[in-house]
Amino acid sequence: MLNIEKIDVVVQGPYTDFTDHLADHYLKLSFVNNVIISCWESDKDSVKKRGVKYVRNKYPSSPGTDNKNLQIVSSLNGLKECQTRFAVKIRSDQKFTHESMSKMYHFFLQNNERDVTFQYNNEKPYNKIFVAGHYPYLLFAFRDHIFWGNTDDLIDLFNIPLEQNSLVDTIRVPKERLGNYCKYFTRTETYLGAHYCSNFNEEINHFLLLPKEHLHDEAVYWYHTKGVSDSVTRKVFKSFPKSIIDLEWTRWRQSGFSFNFDEYLQCSSWDEEGF
């Protein structure tokens, strides 16, 4: 392959032995420049490897509902260490196959033109942000398995305020039970997507100021918000084809839970459907 556009890969989340395996795995790809492991100060000691950089983050005062604040902090600080024009942000509990990564790489480079610009800055964004599927029945939402885009655009995606007064600061509820409380908090994907999409439509800032009325499940103005979401989200976030997504999700494997990934992907919308 000639004239390879090198990219940095940010692996975000707790640093475990599996994270070391991920670094080795992605560094075998010819287009990967460095792997940046953005983890926590309390995680295990680093293993020095060529092509691997470490970012040790302090825990925020609150993890946020569904750990959204943890994702924001570790993703942002990892992306700030990238040295390449384009970057990929991946979770530390998931591994994409080499074939899947290669196909996403080529699809991104061939389809990353932008459709719209920031409302008050015509120079941004530099490209669309690519994701592994849209949630068609949620607000400003996409699957958060992988984000692929211009490094500066990805920094803008995660350079947002942390969630304040979160559900988990008020009541104790196991993460697997959060789905029963969606009318009381903003879903993580919606939180990220709405903040980024507010760069393109200032009305979305008003939704963020009054999330209970606009962004929670069963919100009184949910249908109006959904109309704005539909008009903006797919212009800003582009889905990869479903046919090229292939990953191993270690959290499910280690728990012993029988997980059908194909069924899981059915509730998303993809490039094949025009998203």
Side-chain angles (χ1 to χ4, degrees):
M1 187 186 298
L2 299 176
N3 299 319
I4 296 174
E5 174 91 37
K6 291 277 190 173
I7 62 169
D8 284 336
V9 174
V10 175
V11 179
Q12 160 268 326
Y15 175 40
T16 66
D17 291 342
F18 184 71
T19 320
D20 291 325
H21 169 68
L22 288 179
D24 292 337
H25 176 73
Y26 291 125
L27 283 171
K28 292 176 182 176
L29 292 166
S30 62
F31 54 83
V32 171
N33 179 52
N34 287 314
V35 172
I36 298 164
I37 296 173
S38 187
C39 55
W40 306 104
E41 291 180 334
S42 58
D43 287 344
K44 78 183 190 91
D45 292 338
S46 304
V47 177
K48 292 184 178 180
K49 294 182 180 182
R50 184 177 181 179
V52 180
K53 298 182 179 181
Y54 296 89
V55 178
R56 296 278 180 171
N57 300 288
K58 292 183 178 180
Y59 268 91
S61 58
S62 168
T65 310
D66 198 24
N67 291 335
K68 63 168 61 74
N69 288 348
L70 302 185
Q71 181 179 172
I72 292 168
V73 168
S74 55
S75 297
L76 177 62
N77 291 337
L79 288 163
K80 286 181 176 179
E81 294 299 313
C82 291
Q83 300 175 334
T84 52
R85 178 169 62 139
F86 300 124
V88 180
K89 200 285 290 186
I90 301 175
R91 294 162 44 161
S92 65
D93 63 339
Q94 298 176 346
K95 182 178 78 172
F96 287 85
T97 66
H98 284 169
E99 182 180 10
S100 183
M101 287 289 291
S102 295
K103 288 181 178 179
M104 284 189 283
Y105 171 83
H106 290 293
F107 187 85
F108 171 76
L109 291 180
Q110 293 166 6
N111 297 277
N112 63 13
E113 72 284 348
R114 65 179 186 178
D115 289 345
V116 290
T117 62
F118 283 10
Q119 192 166 6
Y120 300 111
N121 185 347
N122 290 332
E123 295 183 0
K124 288 189 172 185
Y126 298 102
N127 302 94
K128 289 182 180 178
I129 293 175
F130 282 56
V131 295
H134 283 259
Y135 282 118
Y137 305 114
L138 299 178
L139 304 172
F140 305 104
F142 37 72
R143 292 201 179 279
D144 66 352
H145 303 296
I146 192 166
F147 294 95
W148 201 305
N150 187 288
T151 301
D152 288 339
D153 294 338
L154 294 178
I155 288 173
D156 285 337
L157 173 64
F158 288 100
N159 190 17
I160 60 177
L162 299 183
E163 182 184 53
Q164 304 295 320
N165 303 314
S166 71
L167 178 76
V168 295
D169 296 327
T170 305
I171 61 173
R172 299 179 66 180
V173 54
K175 185 174 181 180
E176 62 269 17
R177 299 286 296 172
L178 283 173
N180 296 327
Y181 296 85
C182 288
K183 66 179 181 180
Y184 301 107
F185 69 93
T186 303
R187 294 172 182 266
T188 299
E189 300 88 348
T190 296
Y191 189 88
L192 295 172
H195 272 285
Y196 188 67
C197 287
S198 69
N199 292 300
F200 303 87
N201 184 330
E202 193 171 10
E203 184 182 9
I204 300 170
N205 275 332
H206 296 273
F207 303 162
L208 290 161
L209 288 169
L210 297 170
K212 178 181 177 181
E213 291 82 0
H214 297 90
L215 298 175
H216 294 184
D217 288 13
E218 302 180 27
V220 63
Y221 299 118
W222 189 93
Y223 287 99
H224 171 72
T225 307
K226 184 64 163 63
V228 177
S229 171
D230 289 347
S231 70
V232 177
T233 306
R234 72 167 69 185
K235 297 177 183 177
V236 177
F237 296 96
K238 172 66 180 171
S239 176
F240 287 112
K242 176 184 173 185
S243 59
I244 70 174
I245 300 299
D246 187 9
L247 65 83
E248 175 187 351
W249 199 341
T250 60
R251 175 161 57 91
W252 292 108
R253 176 173 55 79
Q254 292 171 350
S255 69
F257 182 75
S258 179
F259 181 71
N260 188 316
F261 189 64
D262 288 335
E263 290 181 2
Y264 172 73
L265 296 180
Q266 291 299 325
C267 59
S268 303
S269 296
W270 302 89
D271 170 70
E272 292 94 332
E273 303 159 79
F275 282 83

